[in-house]
Amino acid sequence: MNTVSSTLLKTALSASLLLSLPVMAAVPQKWKLDTPKTKVDFEVAYLGNGTVEGQFHNMDGSINYDVKNPTSTTVNFTVKTSSIDAGGNLRNAFLRRKELLNTAKYPTMRFVSKKVSMINAKEAHVTGDFTVLGKTKPLTVKVVLSDVKKDPKTARPFLNFQAIGKVNRLNYGVTAFPNMVGTVIPINITGQLVAAN
Protein backbone atom coordinates (compact mmCIF):
# COMPACT_ATOMS: atom_id res chain seq x y z
CA MET A 1 0.00 0.00 0.00
CA ASN A 2 1.45 3.39 -1.02
CA THR A 3 1.65 6.44 1.25
CA VAL A 4 -1.38 8.16 -0.29
CA SER A 5 -3.60 5.07 0.07
CA SER A 6 -2.41 4.53 3.62
CA THR A 7 -3.17 8.13 4.55
CA LEU A 8 -6.64 7.96 3.00
CA LEU A 9 -7.41 4.71 4.85
CA LYS A 10 -6.32 6.15 8.19
CA THR A 11 -8.38 9.29 7.58
CA ALA A 12 -11.48 7.25 6.72
CA LEU A 13 -11.08 5.04 9.80
CA SER A 14 -10.60 8.04 12.05
CA ALA A 15 -13.68 9.76 10.63
CA SER A 16 -15.73 6.58 11.05
CA LEU A 17 -14.64 6.27 14.68
CA LEU A 18 -15.48 9.89 15.44
CA LEU A 19 -18.91 9.55 13.86
CA SER A 20 -19.65 6.44 15.87
CA LEU A 21 -18.63 7.83 19.26
CA PRO A 22 -21.88 9.70 20.03
CA VAL A 23 -23.90 6.59 19.15
CA MET A 24 -21.71 4.31 21.26
CA ALA A 25 -21.90 6.71 24.20
CA ALA A 26 -25.70 6.62 24.05
CA VAL A 27 -25.88 2.81 24.06
CA PRO A 28 -25.37 1.04 27.40
CA GLN A 29 -22.43 -1.31 27.36
CA LYS A 30 -23.84 -4.06 29.58
CA TRP A 31 -27.25 -5.72 29.58
CA LYS A 32 -29.17 -8.24 31.70
CA LEU A 33 -32.27 -10.41 31.34
CA ASP A 34 -35.71 -8.96 32.12
CA THR A 35 -37.23 -12.25 33.34
CA PRO A 36 -40.93 -11.21 33.53
CA LYS A 37 -40.83 -10.30 29.84
CA THR A 38 -39.32 -13.60 28.73
CA LYS A 39 -41.26 -16.49 27.14
CA VAL A 40 -40.24 -20.06 26.40
CA ASP A 41 -42.34 -21.54 23.60
CA PHE A 42 -42.15 -24.99 22.03
CA GLU A 43 -43.95 -27.19 19.56
CA VAL A 44 -44.23 -30.96 19.34
CA ALA A 45 -45.31 -33.07 16.40
CA TYR A 46 -48.34 -35.08 17.48
CA LEU A 47 -49.80 -38.22 15.89
CA GLY A 48 -47.68 -37.78 12.78
CA ASN A 49 -49.57 -34.96 11.08
CA GLY A 50 -50.51 -32.59 13.90
CA THR A 51 -48.62 -30.12 16.06
CA VAL A 52 -49.07 -29.23 19.71
CA GLU A 53 -47.82 -25.79 20.73
CA GLY A 54 -47.15 -24.67 24.27
CA GLN A 55 -44.93 -22.76 26.62
CA PHE A 56 -43.31 -22.81 30.02
CA HIS A 57 -44.58 -20.07 32.32
CA ASN A 58 -42.00 -20.21 35.09
CA MET A 59 -38.33 -19.53 34.44
CA ASP A 60 -35.39 -17.72 35.95
CA GLY A 61 -31.94 -16.85 34.81
CA SER A 62 -29.43 -14.30 33.69
CA ILE A 63 -27.96 -13.10 30.43
CA ASN A 64 -24.93 -10.87 30.77
CA TYR A 65 -24.20 -9.19 27.44
CA ASP A 66 -21.35 -6.76 26.84
CA VAL A 67 -21.61 -4.63 23.68
CA LYS A 68 -17.85 -4.14 23.50
CA ASN A 69 -17.04 -7.79 24.09
CA PRO A 70 -20.02 -9.87 22.89
CA THR A 71 -18.15 -13.17 22.89
CA SER A 72 -17.87 -12.87 26.68
CA THR A 73 -21.68 -13.07 26.96
CA THR A 74 -22.88 -15.57 29.55
CA VAL A 75 -26.27 -17.28 29.71
CA ASN A 76 -27.64 -19.20 32.69
CA PHE A 77 -31.28 -20.16 32.22
CA THR A 78 -33.51 -22.43 34.29
CA VAL A 79 -37.09 -23.49 33.47
CA LYS A 80 -39.49 -25.18 35.89
CA THR A 81 -40.83 -28.17 34.00
CA SER A 82 -44.12 -28.31 35.91
CA SER A 83 -45.02 -24.89 34.50
CA ILE A 84 -45.61 -26.45 31.08
CA ASP A 85 -48.81 -25.33 29.39
CA ALA A 86 -49.89 -27.07 26.19
CA GLY A 87 -53.48 -25.90 26.21
CA GLY A 88 -55.35 -28.16 28.60
CA ASN A 89 -55.08 -29.97 31.91
CA LEU A 90 -55.18 -33.46 30.39
CA ARG A 91 -52.49 -32.61 27.84
CA ASN A 92 -50.31 -30.96 30.49
CA ALA A 93 -50.64 -33.98 32.77
CA PHE A 94 -49.67 -36.25 29.87
CA LEU A 95 -46.47 -34.24 29.19
CA ARG A 96 -45.55 -34.13 32.89
CA ARG A 97 -45.78 -37.90 33.29
CA LYS A 98 -42.82 -40.12 34.19
CA GLU A 99 -42.22 -41.32 30.62
CA LEU A 100 -41.84 -37.78 29.26
CA LEU A 101 -40.80 -34.73 31.32
CA ASN A 102 -41.03 -36.60 34.64
CA THR A 103 -41.59 -33.30 36.42
CA ALA A 104 -42.01 -34.92 39.85
CA LYS A 105 -38.42 -36.21 39.82
CA TYR A 106 -36.82 -33.54 37.63
CA PRO A 107 -38.45 -30.17 38.41
CA THR A 108 -36.08 -28.08 36.29
CA MET A 109 -34.19 -28.04 33.04
CA ARG A 110 -31.20 -25.76 32.64
CA PHE A 111 -28.99 -24.19 29.97
CA VAL A 112 -25.53 -22.85 30.82
CA SER A 113 -23.54 -21.23 28.03
CA LYS A 114 -19.96 -22.25 27.25
CA LYS A 115 -19.15 -20.48 23.98
CA VAL A 116 -20.47 -17.57 21.91
CA SER A 117 -19.66 -17.38 18.19
CA MET A 118 -20.69 -14.16 16.49
CA ILE A 119 -22.35 -14.39 13.07
CA ASN A 120 -22.58 -10.61 12.75
CA ALA A 121 -23.13 -7.67 15.13
CA LYS A 122 -26.64 -8.81 16.06
CA GLU A 123 -26.60 -12.58 15.58
CA ALA A 124 -24.66 -15.32 17.34
CA HIS A 125 -24.55 -19.03 17.94
CA VAL A 126 -24.50 -19.78 21.67
CA THR A 127 -23.35 -23.26 22.67
CA GLY A 128 -23.74 -24.62 26.15
CA ASP A 129 -24.77 -27.49 28.40
CA PHE A 130 -28.48 -28.34 28.42
CA THR A 131 -29.59 -30.50 31.33
CA VAL A 132 -32.90 -32.37 31.18
CA LEU A 133 -33.97 -35.44 33.18
CA GLY A 134 -30.58 -35.54 34.86
CA LYS A 135 -28.71 -35.80 31.56
CA THR A 136 -26.46 -33.01 30.25
CA LYS A 137 -25.79 -32.66 26.52
CA PRO A 138 -24.35 -29.86 24.36
CA LEU A 139 -26.92 -27.60 22.70
CA THR A 140 -26.46 -24.70 20.29
CA VAL A 141 -29.06 -21.98 19.84
CA LYS A 142 -29.11 -19.06 17.44
CA VAL A 143 -29.62 -15.72 19.17
CA VAL A 144 -30.82 -12.60 17.35
CA LEU A 145 -30.81 -9.13 18.93
CA SER A 146 -32.99 -6.18 17.91
CA ASP A 147 -32.02 -2.52 17.73
CA VAL A 148 -31.93 -0.66 21.03
CA LYS A 149 -35.26 0.92 21.97
CA LYS A 150 -36.52 3.08 24.83
CA ASP A 151 -39.43 2.27 27.10
CA PRO A 152 -41.98 5.05 26.48
CA LYS A 153 -42.93 5.18 30.17
CA THR A 154 -39.55 4.94 31.88
CA ALA A 155 -37.20 5.97 29.03
CA ARG A 156 -35.08 2.98 30.03
CA PRO A 157 -33.25 1.44 27.09
CA PHE A 158 -33.97 -2.17 26.19
CA LEU A 159 -33.53 -4.58 23.32
CA ASN A 160 -35.48 -7.64 22.30
CA PHE A 161 -33.89 -11.01 21.70
CA GLN A 162 -34.87 -14.33 20.23
CA ALA A 163 -33.15 -17.66 20.78
CA ILE A 164 -34.01 -20.57 18.51
CA GLY A 165 -32.93 -24.17 18.99
CA LYS A 166 -33.97 -27.79 18.54
CA VAL A 167 -33.88 -30.51 21.17
CA ASN A 168 -33.80 -34.21 20.30
CA ARG A 169 -35.64 -35.92 23.14
CA LEU A 170 -33.93 -39.26 22.44
CA ASN A 171 -30.63 -37.69 23.55
CA TYR A 172 -32.10 -37.39 27.04
CA GLY A 173 -33.51 -40.89 27.22
CA VAL A 174 -37.10 -39.93 26.41
CA THR A 175 -38.10 -42.76 24.08
CA ALA A 176 -41.77 -43.29 25.04
CA PHE A 177 -44.67 -42.88 22.62
CA PRO A 178 -42.58 -42.88 19.40
CA ASN A 179 -45.67 -43.00 17.18
CA MET A 180 -47.48 -40.28 19.10
CA VAL A 181 -44.95 -37.59 20.07
CA GLY A 182 -42.30 -36.13 17.76
CA THR A 183 -38.60 -36.69 18.32
CA VAL A 184 -37.17 -33.24 17.54
CA ILE A 185 -38.71 -30.37 19.52
CA PRO A 186 -38.16 -26.80 18.31
CA ILE A 187 -37.76 -24.25 21.12
CA ASN A 188 -38.25 -20.51 20.73
CA ILE A 189 -37.26 -18.15 23.55
CA THR A 190 -38.19 -14.47 23.25
CA GLY A 191 -37.62 -11.72 25.74
CA GLN A 192 -35.93 -8.47 26.62
CA LEU A 193 -32.55 -7.35 27.83
CA VAL A 194 -32.43 -4.16 29.91
CA ALA A 195 -29.47 -1.98 30.73
CA ALA A 196 -27.54 -3.30 33.72
CA ASN A 197 -27.00 -0.65 36.38
Side-chain angles (χ1 to χ4, degrees):
M1 182 182 292
N2 59 41
T3 304
V4 175
S5 298
S6 178
T7 302
L8 288 173
L9 178 59
K10 289 178 181 178
T11 302
L13 289 173
S14 298
S16 175
L17 179 61
L18 287 172
L19 287 171
S20 67
L21 282 176
V23 176
M24 290 176 64
V27 176
Q29 180 183 346
K30 295 186 178 182
W31 300 79
K32 63 181 181 179
L33 182 68
D34 188 350
T35 306
K37 295 183 179 178
T38 301
K39 291 173 42 180
V40 180
D41 298 310
F42 67 90
E43 60 181 48
V44 182
Y46 183 67
L47 294 177
N49 57 1
T51 301
V52 172
E53 298 179 351
Q55 65 179 235
F56 293 91
H57 291 294
N58 197 331
M59 79 287 296
D60 193 13
S62 63
I63 297 177
N64 297 304
Y65 167 59
D66 188 330
V67 172
K68 293 182 180 179
N69 189 16
T71 57
S72 70
T73 296
T74 60
V75 179
N76 192 328
F77 203 76
T78 300
V79 174
K80 290 191 176 180
T81 54
S82 62
S83 71
I84 193 168
D85 183 357
N89 291 335
L90 289 176
R91 189 175 290 169
N92 294 343
F94 175 75
L95 293 172
R96 291 180 184 130
R97 65 190 296 159
K98 180 180 179 180
E99 295 86 350
L100 295 174
L101 280 176
N102 197 359
T103 59
K105 185 175 181 179
Y106 300 101
T108 63
M109 52 186 177
R110 184 181 183 193
F111 178 81
V112 179
S113 64
K114 297 295 183 184
K115 179 182 178 182
V116 177
S117 302
M118 301 304 297
I119 302 170
N120 54 52
K122 293 183 180 178
E123 297 180 310
H125 286 128
V126 180
T127 300
D129 290 336
F130 188 47
T131 302
V132 182
L133 296 165
K135 293 181 171 58
T136 301
K137 302 288 183 181
L139 176 68
T140 297
V141 297
K142 182 180 179 181
V143 178
V144 181
L145 301 177
S146 73
D147 291 329
V148 176
K149 303 176 182 179
K150 278 195 175 182
D151 187 303
K153 294 182 180 179
T154 64
R156 189 179 189 184
F158 71 92
L159 56 84
N160 295 318
F161 75 89
Q162 180 182 32
I164 304 166
K166 292 183 178 181
V167 176
N168 187 325
R169 68 187 182 100
L170 300 183
N171 292 339
Y172 300 90
V174 185
T175 59
F177 310 108
N179 299 320
M180 183 181 295
V181 181
T183 299
V184 178
I185 304 169
I187 294 177
N188 182 32
I189 303 172
T190 55
Q192 286 186 7
L193 299 180
V194 294
N197 294 328

PDB file of all heavy atoms in Angstrom, residues 135 137 167-176 178 181-185:
ATOM      1  N   LYS A 135     -29.724 -35.591  32.588  1.00  0.00           N
ATOM      2  CA  LYS A 135     -28.712 -35.803  31.555  1.00  0.00           C
ATOM      3  C   LYS A 135     -28.294 -34.460  30.962  1.00  0.00           C
ATOM      4  O   LYS A 135     -29.138 -33.627  30.646  1.00  0.00           O
ATOM      5  CB  LYS A 135     -29.232 -36.722  30.447  1.00  0.00           C
ATOM      6  CG  LYS A 135     -29.480 -38.150  30.892  1.00  0.00           C
ATOM      7  CD  LYS A 135     -29.958 -38.991  29.719  1.00  0.00           C
ATOM      8  CE  LYS A 135     -30.018 -40.462  30.067  1.00  0.00           C
ATOM      9  NZ  LYS A 135     -30.904 -40.756  31.206  1.00  0.00           N
ATOM     10  N   LYS A 137     -26.296 -32.527  27.892  1.00  0.00           N
ATOM     11  CA  LYS A 137     -25.788 -32.661  26.524  1.00  0.00           C
ATOM     12  C   LYS A 137     -25.517 -31.270  25.963  1.00  0.00           C
ATOM     13  O   LYS A 137     -26.139 -30.293  26.376  1.00  0.00           O
ATOM     14  CB  LYS A 137     -26.824 -33.377  25.639  1.00  0.00           C
ATOM     15  CG  LYS A 137     -27.236 -34.757  26.124  1.00  0.00           C
ATOM     16  CD  LYS A 137     -26.137 -35.774  25.926  1.00  0.00           C
ATOM     17  CE  LYS A 137     -26.611 -37.158  26.365  1.00  0.00           C
ATOM     18  NZ  LYS A 137     -25.541 -38.175  26.193  1.00  0.00           N
ATOM     19  N   VAL A 167     -34.295 -29.497  20.197  1.00  0.00           N
ATOM     20  CA  VAL A 167     -33.884 -30.514  21.165  1.00  0.00           C
ATOM     21  C   VAL A 167     -34.372 -31.878  20.689  1.00  0.00           C
ATOM     22  O   VAL A 167     -35.560 -32.050  20.386  1.00  0.00           O
ATOM     23  CB  VAL A 167     -34.475 -30.206  22.559  1.00  0.00           C
ATOM     24  CG1 VAL A 167     -34.125 -31.319  23.537  1.00  0.00           C
ATOM     25  CG2 VAL A 167     -33.977 -28.864  23.071  1.00  0.00           C
ATOM     26  N   ASN A 168     -33.447 -32.830  20.629  1.00  0.00           N
ATOM     27  CA  ASN A 168     -33.802 -34.207  20.298  1.00  0.00           C
ATOM     28  C   ASN A 168     -34.052 -34.949  21.605  1.00  0.00           C
ATOM     29  O   ASN A 168     -33.139 -35.181  22.396  1.00  0.00           O
ATOM     30  CB  ASN A 168     -32.672 -34.870  19.516  1.00  0.00           C
ATOM     31  CG  ASN A 168     -33.055 -36.247  19.005  1.00  0.00           C
ATOM     32  OD1 ASN A 168     -33.781 -36.992  19.647  1.00  0.00           O
ATOM     33  ND2 ASN A 168     -32.546 -36.604  17.835  1.00  0.00           N
ATOM     34  N   ARG A 169     -35.286 -35.331  21.847  1.00  0.00           N
ATOM     35  CA  ARG A 169     -35.636 -35.921  23.143  1.00  0.00           C
ATOM     36  C   ARG A 169     -34.968 -37.281  23.371  1.00  0.00           C
ATOM     37  O   ARG A 169     -34.746 -37.690  24.523  1.00  0.00           O
ATOM     38  CB  ARG A 169     -37.154 -36.038  23.280  1.00  0.00           C
ATOM     39  CG  ARG A 169     -37.857 -37.032  22.363  1.00  0.00           C
ATOM     40  CD  ARG A 169     -39.367 -36.891  22.502  1.00  0.00           C
ATOM     41  NE  ARG A 169     -40.127 -37.844  21.697  1.00  0.00           N
ATOM     42  CZ  ARG A 169     -40.675 -38.966  22.166  1.00  0.00           C
ATOM     43  NH1 ARG A 169     -40.517 -39.290  23.440  1.00  0.00           N
ATOM     44  NH2 ARG A 169     -41.373 -39.765  21.388  1.00  0.00           N
ATOM     45  N   LEU A 170     -34.602 -37.961  22.288  1.00  0.00           N
ATOM     46  CA  LEU A 170     -33.931 -39.258  22.438  1.00  0.00           C
ATOM     47  C   LEU A 170     -32.571 -39.100  23.111  1.00  0.00           C
ATOM     48  O   LEU A 170     -32.100 -40.019  23.786  1.00  0.00           O
ATOM     49  CB  LEU A 170     -33.769 -39.926  21.071  1.00  0.00           C
ATOM     50  CG  LEU A 170     -35.056 -40.219  20.294  1.00  0.00           C
ATOM     51  CD1 LEU A 170     -34.731 -40.944  18.996  1.00  0.00           C
ATOM     52  CD2 LEU A 170     -36.048 -41.022  21.129  1.00  0.00           C
ATOM     53  N   ASN A 171     -31.929 -37.934  22.928  1.00  0.00           N
ATOM     54  CA  ASN A 171     -30.628 -37.692  23.554  1.00  0.00           C
ATOM     55  C   ASN A 171     -30.716 -37.679  25.072  1.00  0.00           C
ATOM     56  O   ASN A 171     -29.705 -37.826  25.761  1.00  0.00           O
ATOM     57  CB  ASN A 171     -30.040 -36.366  23.074  1.00  0.00           C
ATOM     58  CG  ASN A 171     -29.653 -36.393  21.612  1.00  0.00           C
ATOM     59  OD1 ASN A 171     -29.454 -37.469  21.038  1.00  0.00           O
ATOM     60  ND2 ASN A 171     -29.541 -35.233  20.986  1.00  0.00           N
ATOM     61  N   TYR A 172     -31.914 -37.477  25.590  1.00  0.00           N
ATOM     62  CA  TYR A 172     -32.105 -37.386  27.042  1.00  0.00           C
ATOM     63  C   TYR A 172     -32.860 -38.598  27.585  1.00  0.00           C
ATOM     64  O   TYR A 172     -33.383 -38.567  28.692  1.00  0.00           O
ATOM     65  CB  TYR A 172     -32.833 -36.083  27.385  1.00  0.00           C
ATOM     66  CG  TYR A 172     -32.037 -34.881  26.924  1.00  0.00           C
ATOM     67  CD1 TYR A 172     -32.224 -34.356  25.646  1.00  0.00           C
ATOM     68  CD2 TYR A 172     -31.060 -34.313  27.733  1.00  0.00           C
ATOM     69  CE1 TYR A 172     -31.471 -33.280  25.201  1.00  0.00           C
ATOM     70  CE2 TYR A 172     -30.305 -33.239  27.301  1.00  0.00           C
ATOM     71  CZ  TYR A 172     -30.518 -32.733  26.030  1.00  0.00           C
ATOM     72  OH  TYR A 172     -29.752 -31.670  25.596  1.00  0.00           O
ATOM     73  N   GLY A 173     -32.917 -39.638  26.779  1.00  0.00           N
ATOM     74  CA  GLY A 173     -33.515 -40.887  27.222  1.00  0.00           C
ATOM     75  C   GLY A 173     -35.024 -40.929  27.179  1.00  0.00           C
ATOM     76  O   GLY A 173     -35.639 -41.842  27.739  1.00  0.00           O
ATOM     77  N   VAL A 174     -35.639 -39.967  26.492  1.00  0.00           N
ATOM     78  CA  VAL A 174     -37.100 -39.934  26.406  1.00  0.00           C
ATOM     79  C   VAL A 174     -37.510 -40.660  25.124  1.00  0.00           C
ATOM     80  O   VAL A 174     -37.545 -40.072  24.039  1.00  0.00           O
ATOM     81  CB  VAL A 174     -37.638 -38.489  26.410  1.00  0.00           C
ATOM     82  CG1 VAL A 174     -39.162 -38.498  26.436  1.00  0.00           C
ATOM     83  CG2 VAL A 174     -37.088 -37.726  27.611  1.00  0.00           C
ATOM     84  N   THR A 175     -37.811 -41.933  25.256  1.00  0.00           N
ATOM     85  CA  THR A 175     -38.103 -42.764  24.081  1.00  0.00           C
ATOM     86  C   THR A 175     -39.567 -43.189  24.001  1.00  0.00           C
ATOM     87  O   THR A 175     -39.965 -43.840  23.035  1.00  0.00           O
ATOM     88  CB  THR A 175     -37.222 -44.019  24.107  1.00  0.00           C
ATOM     89  OG1 THR A 175     -37.481 -44.747  25.324  1.00  0.00           O
ATOM     90  CG2 THR A 175     -35.743 -43.649  24.057  1.00  0.00           C
ATOM     91  N   ALA A 176     -40.369 -42.831  24.993  1.00  0.00           N
ATOM     92  CA  ALA A 176     -41.765 -43.288  25.045  1.00  0.00           C
ATOM     93  C   ALA A 176     -42.614 -42.663  23.949  1.00  0.00           C
ATOM     94  O   ALA A 176     -42.305 -41.586  23.433  1.00  0.00           O
ATOM     95  CB  ALA A 176     -42.366 -42.958  26.418  1.00  0.00           C
ATOM     96  N   PRO A 178     -43.249 -43.280  20.648  1.00  0.00           N
ATOM     97  CA  PRO A 178     -42.583 -42.885  19.399  1.00  0.00           C
ATOM     98  C   PRO A 178     -43.534 -42.598  18.250  1.00  0.00           C
ATOM     99  O   PRO A 178     -43.200 -41.826  17.350  1.00  0.00           O
ATOM    100  CB  PRO A 178     -41.672 -44.087  19.093  1.00  0.00           C
ATOM    101  CG  PRO A 178     -42.339 -45.239  19.786  1.00  0.00           C
ATOM    102  CD  PRO A 178     -42.932 -44.668  21.029  1.00  0.00           C
ATOM    103  N   VAL A 181     -45.633 -38.865  19.794  1.00  0.00           N
ATOM    104  CA  VAL A 181     -44.947 -37.594  20.070  1.00  0.00           C
ATOM    105  C   VAL A 181     -43.691 -37.492  19.227  1.00  0.00           C
ATOM    106  O   VAL A 181     -42.923 -38.451  19.122  1.00  0.00           O
ATOM    107  CB  VAL A 181     -44.586 -37.483  21.568  1.00  0.00           C
ATOM    108  CG1 VAL A 181     -43.893 -36.154  21.854  1.00  0.00           C
ATOM    109  CG2 VAL A 181     -45.834 -37.631  22.438  1.00  0.00           C
ATOM    110  N   GLY A 182     -43.462 -36.333  18.621  1.00  0.00           N
ATOM    111  CA  GLY A 182     -42.304 -36.127  17.758  1.00  0.00           C
ATOM    112  C   GLY A 182     -40.983 -36.254  18.497  1.00  0.00           C
ATOM    113  O   GLY A 182     -40.916 -36.110  19.726  1.00  0.00           O
ATOM    114  N   THR A 183     -39.926 -36.500  17.739  1.00  0.00           N
ATOM    115  CA  THR A 183     -38.596 -36.692  18.322  1.00  0.00           C
ATOM    116  C   THR A 183     -37.854 -35.374  18.510  1.00  0.00           C
ATOM    117  O   THR A 183     -37.251 -35.124  19.551  1.00  0.00           O
ATOM    118  CB  THR A 183     -37.760 -37.626  17.430  1.00  0.00           C
ATOM    119  OG1 THR A 183     -38.413 -38.892  17.340  1.00  0.00           O
ATOM    120  CG2 THR A 183     -36.362 -37.816  17.980  1.00  0.00           C
ATOM    121  N   VAL A 184     -37.887 -34.519  17.492  1.00  0.00           N
ATOM    122  CA  VAL A 184     -37.169 -33.238  17.544  1.00  0.00           C
ATOM    123  C   VAL A 184     -38.150 -32.135  17.921  1.00  0.00           C
ATOM    124  O   VAL A 184     -39.185 -31.953  17.276  1.00  0.00           O
ATOM    125  CB  VAL A 184     -36.491 -32.925  16.199  1.00  0.00           C
ATOM    126  CG1 VAL A 184     -35.794 -31.570  16.252  1.00  0.00           C
ATOM    127  CG2 VAL A 184     -35.478 -34.024  15.856  1.00  0.00           C
ATOM    128  N   ILE A 185     -37.808 -31.394  18.970  1.00  0.00           N
ATOM    129  CA  ILE A 185     -38.706 -30.373  19.518  1.00  0.00           C
ATOM    130  C   ILE A 185     -38.093 -28.995  19.342  1.00  0.00           C
ATOM    131  O   ILE A 185     -37.104 -28.665  20.003  1.00  0.00           O
ATOM    132  CB  ILE A 185     -38.977 -30.643  21.009  1.00  0.00           C
ATOM    133  CG1 ILE A 185     -39.547 -32.063  21.186  1.00  0.00           C
ATOM    134  CG2 ILE A 185     -39.922 -29.595  21.599  1.00  0.00           C
ATOM    135  CD1 ILE A 185     -39.601 -32.530  22.614  1.00  0.00           C
TER     136      ILE A 185
END
